[in-house]
Amino acid sequence: AISAYLVDSIAAYYLPAELSVPVLIFVATEQDDSLHARIYGDFWVFNYVSAGDTLKTVSGGNHSGCMYVEQNGDDLRVTHFVQTTDGAGFLKSAKEIFGEHYDIFQNIYSNHDVQETVRQYQLRKYIHKHNLPFKYYQDFGWQAVEL
């Protein structure tokens, strides 16, 4: 549900690409009842174009916050998303949104190695699931990274 929300509702605000791949780094989950939950996380969208066996990043970004998820039968859907504020309001909004989970969020948000490890893992899973021929991804101005 969160991946679909990021691709359907967030990715369109970036430069268009051939593939939009979400990256989900979960911080905490709080179950309100058997049908409603709040999922706190550091969520990313990466938009790629293909170049041979390489996915080249053309756009994307970070969307940290809390997703409100509802179950309807076998389906899950995001009903609301509260995001951290960009710029000067980031710290205050992050503390308000993440509350008791803020320290965990901050450890994840400030650790580039964790972010890249999760990105590579989830991108490999995406490529495998969709039977795609890619072996590398490359951010603008950086060397290609083997998957």
Side-chain angles (χ1 to χ4, degrees), residues 55-121:
L55 287 171
K56 294 197 175 221
T57 308
V58 295
S59 61
N62 174 258
H63 298 271
S64 301
C66 180
M67 300 253 188
Y68 290 74
V69 178
E70 176 181 88
Q71 184 170 356
N72 186 3
D74 290 338
D75 295 328
L76 293 172
R77 70 182 183 98
V78 173
T79 59
H80 187 63
F81 182 31
V82 179
Q83 292 188 62
T84 54
T85 304
D86 287 339
F90 175 80
L91 181 61
K92 181 178 184 229
S93 68
K95 286 182 176 182
E96 288 173 0
I97 292 167
F98 287 94
E100 67 184 86
H101 311 297
Y102 174 77
D103 289 341
I104 298 168
F105 164 71
Q106 188 56 37
N107 284 333
I108 291 168
Y109 183 79
S110 63
N111 191 327
H112 183 72
D113 291 338
V114 167
Q115 294 167 358
E116 280 302 302
T117 298
V118 173
R119 178 185 181 190
Q120 290 172 21
Y121 173 76

Side-chain angles (χ1 to χ4, degrees), residues 23 46 48 112-127 137 145-147:
V23 173
F46 290 96
Y48 300 99
H112 183 72
D113 291 338
V114 167
Q115 294 167 358
E116 280 302 302
T117 298
V118 173
R119 178 185 181 190
Q120 290 172 21
Y121 173 76
Q122 291 183 5
L123 188 52
R124 280 193 301 269
K125 282 182 63 174
Y126 182 93
I127 288 168
Y137 73 94
V145 175
E146 187 172 1
L147 291 165

Side-chain angles (χ1 to χ4, degrees), residues 19 48-50 53-57 123 127 134 136-138:
L19 293 174
Y48 300 99
V49 294
S50 61
D53 62 358
T54 303
L55 287 171
K56 294 197 175 221
T57 308
L123 188 52
I127 288 168
F134 305 110
Y136 304 91
Y137 73 94
Q138 184 176 19

